[in-house]
Amino acid sequence: MAATVLDGRSLATRIEDSLRAEVETFAAMFRHRPRLVVVLVGDLAASASYVKSKSAAAARVGIDSEVVAAPATATTAELVALVESIARGERGRADGILVQLPLPDHVDSVAVLDAVPPQLDVDGFHPENAGLLSQGRPRFVPCTAAGVQRLLIDAEIETAGRHAVIVGRSDIVGKPLALLLSAKAPSTAAPPARHGCDATVTLCHSRSADLATLTRQADILVAAVGRPKMITAEMVKPGAAVIDVGINRVDGRLVGDVDFESVSQVAGQITPVPGGVGPLTVAMLLANTLLAAELRGRNGHA
Ligand code: NDP
């Protein structure tokens, strides 16, 4: 039986529609629009394309955005100074700052990301935001992890008491997603808001022994590795929800970490690549930017 394909694009459009209304309310109240500043270093075609789609999405919901470009030869110190100057407002108002990854190999990415003040960290990568998430009181949740959770909630895929297996333990995807899915659901929340929490989580990585045995136990299987089609049908429990975060370029095409053709014959639900998690990552970035502007406004700094 073929799996239900979870359409990330249409969900992202619905999220944008509600964000557009919230942005208008914000703009009427504070007399300016939320503003996102994106730092783009070097000339990687993939990075330029991601930044373009983020800027276009911001424009669609009424969020102002600016791309600040730096050459591939920029040093760590220069990039830290650039981020600090943006945070001080020297390049116009910034409610949110995003540093497009990856940075060139010679750059200390952690130092550059840490230069983004936690209140402007709409990617949710700063240690303060990671710490808040780990304590169950999230502020800015990393966008891809938030997007996966939103997809599960929207599809009404039950997580409470179920086994979620995440392949990939990066700070930007696997680890925050493990924290989100294993978090205790607020006791006051009613379904579907209760979905997306209270799962039992197994977090796998390159040293995990017998990966297929682990993935076959998953009610919800998330692949966030960066290896084209590595999750095959034999690794999936019949009826499982399979979420493919991977984005790999193979022969000029985008391919996920999941072998869609074979896995869609076994899974209950599956996300496509492209058109699955990717659009939700962008939608969650917009939501975080609006939240950053709102928090700033609430604190009287608007
Ligand atoms: P990283 O390279 O930072 O992390 C990859 C993870 O996969 C690591 O934890 C690594 O293990 C693990 N891994 C590598 N090989 C294996 C293996 N053979 N078996 C099990 N685990 C393995 O990647 P990211 O988290 O940044 O990204 C993952 C993928 O998601 C990429 O394709 C990326 O392009 C995509 N992505 C998509 C986004 C979207 O919006 N859809 C957003 C962000 C990323 P170890 O820790 O041991 O090295």
Side-chain angles (χ1 to χ4, degrees):
M1 195 179 72
T4 302
V5 177
L6 302 177
D7 183 350
R9 276 201 190 106
S10 79
L11 173 55
T13 301
R14 280 184 278 134
I15 294 170
E16 282 188 12
D17 288 344
S18 72
L19 281 173
R20 192 175 302 114
E22 290 174 49
V23 168
E24 288 314 315
T25 305
F26 175 91
M29 192 178 292
F30 292 103
R31 302 193 180 282
H32 64 82
R33 294 181 171 278
R35 188 161 183 275
L36 171 69
V37 179
V38 180
V39 177
L40 175 62
V41 184
D43 43 23
L44 274 182
S47 293
S49 140
Y50 291 138
V51 166
K52 202 171 154 196
S53 67
K54 287 168 186 174
S55 300
R60 284 197 297 274
V61 302
I63 289 177
D64 289 338
S65 71
E66 182 188 351
V67 179
V68 176
T73 51
T75 63
T76 301
E78 286 166 344
L79 292 174
V80 167
L82 176 62
V83 169
E84 287 173 348
S85 75
I86 294 168
R88 283 194 300 270
E90 288 171 18
R91 289 170 184 254
R93 178 192 181 83
D95 293 303
I97 300 177
L98 178 153
V99 179
Q100 182 64 42
L101 298 176
L103 295 176
D105 288 344
H106 67 273
V107 172
D108 178 351
S109 299
V110 173
V112 178
L113 292 175
D114 281 359
V116 178
Q119 299 83 356
L120 307 186
D121 170 39
V122 287
D123 252 339
F125 295 163
H126 191 281
E128 183 174 311
N129 289 317
L132 287 171
L133 177 62
S134 79
Q135 292 187 352
R137 43 190 188 131
R139 179 167 52 195
F140 300 118
V141 177
C143 303
T144 304
V148 171
Q149 187 186 39
R150 192 68 178 258
L151 200 60
L152 294 172
I153 292 170
D154 187 70
E156 298 193 13
I157 292 169
E158 183 60 83
T159 50
R162 300 182 82 212
H163 191 180
V165 176
I166 301 168
V167 190
R169 60 175 164 186
S170 72
D171 288 342
I172 68 173
V173 186
K175 217 182 281 175
L177 184 60
L179 289 169
L180 280 181
L181 296 185
S182 61
K184 196 172 170 67
S187 55
T188 49
R194 284 187 66 84
H195 292 291
C197 301
D198 285 333
T200 301
V201 173
T202 299
L203 189 56
C204 306
H205 46 78
S206 66
R207 304 294 304 274
S208 295
D210 201 357
L211 185 66
T213 301
L214 296 168
T215 58
R216 270 197 298 271
Q217 294 171 25
D219 300 310
I220 297 156
L221 176 60
V222 182
V225 179
R227 290 170 69 102
K229 301 188 180 188
M230 75 165 283
I231 303 292
T232 53
E234 310 75 62
M235 299 170 76
V236 176
K237 175 158 103 176
V242 179
I243 311 293
D244 191 353
V245 175
I247 301 179
N248 310 285
R249 277 164 214 271
V250 180
D251 299 331
R253 284 179 51 237
L254 291 187
V255 178
D257 289 346
V258 173
D259 179 21
F260 186 91
E261 295 300 319
S262 71
V263 172
S264 59
Q265 300 305 310
V266 180
Q269 295 94 358
I270 189 167
T271 60
V273 175
V277 175
L280 291 167
T281 299
V282 178
M284 293 299 108
L285 169 68
L286 304 177
N288 277 350
T289 304
L290 174 59
L291 174 63
E294 286 172 342
L295 290 175
R296 184 172 168 168
R298 242 180 266 159
N299 291 330
H301 301 302

